[in-house]
């Protein structure tokens, strides 16, 4: 006789989850994964659709601001509103730097 009586019998599948109640489902065949080839060159940012990092602008803070504003105008003319807004944000940053607000 056991000291503690648990609910269910020894043949209960809930108590023994490893015991199979019915036939096992067929196993899927293993498909070998292709190995990565690190010798291939990776796609460039332009071909991947990612905007490249903006080029550095030299000069004082006010010169940088005016150069970024000029880039914003060029981007607007090219029809790239997102790029124009990005350039305006850089120009605003350099304006704040020149005024000592940042």
């Amino acid at each position: 006789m056991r000291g503690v009586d648990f609910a269910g019998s020894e043949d209960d599948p809930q108590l023994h989850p490893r015991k199979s109640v019915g036939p096992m489902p067929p196993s899927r065949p293993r498909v070998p994964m292709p190995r990565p080839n690190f010798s291939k060159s990776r796609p460039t940012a332009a071909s991947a659709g990612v905007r490249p990092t903006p080029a550095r602008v030299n000069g004082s803070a006010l010169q940088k601001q005016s150069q970024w504003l000029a880039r914003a105008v060029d981007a607007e003319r090219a029809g790239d509103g997102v790029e124009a807004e990005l350039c305006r944000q850089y120009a605003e940053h350099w304006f704040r730097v020149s005024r000592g607000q940042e």
Side-chain angles (χ1 to χ4, degrees), residues 44 57 62 83 96:
T44 62
V57 180
L62 287 176
E83 181 71 22
R96 291 175 184 266

Side-chain angles (χ1 to χ4, degrees), residues 54-57 59-69 84-102:
R56 295 200 178 248
V57 180
S60 69
L62 287 176
Q63 289 171 335
K64 289 180 182 186
Q65 177 199 7
S66 64
Q67 289 172 352
W68 281 112
L69 287 174
E85 180 61 28
L86 178 72
C87 292
R88 284 190 202 97
Q89 288 176 358
Y90 277 112
E92 182 183 4
H93 163 75
W94 287 112
F95 173 75
R96 291 175 184 266
V97 168
S98 70
R99 299 290 182 221
Q101 295 176 353
E102 201 170 60

Side-chain angles (χ1 to χ4, degrees), residues 10-12 21 30 33 36 42 95:
E10 288 183 18
D11 294 331
D12 189 0
V21 178
R30 291 191 60 137
M33 296 294 294
R42 296 207 166 204
F95 173 75

Side-chain angles (χ1 to χ4, degrees), residues 4-48:
V4 178
D5 186 29
F6 292 103
S9 67
E10 288 183 18
D11 294 331
D12 189 0
Q14 291 178 345
L15 292 178
H16 302 285
R18 294 181 191 216
K19 285 187 176 181
S20 64
V21 178
M24 293 291 291
S27 62
R28 290 193 270 166
R30 291 191 60 137
V31 178
M33 296 294 294
R35 299 192 80 166
N37 186 357
F38 295 109
S39 64
K40 289 183 181 177
S41 64
R42 296 207 166 204
T44 62
S47 66

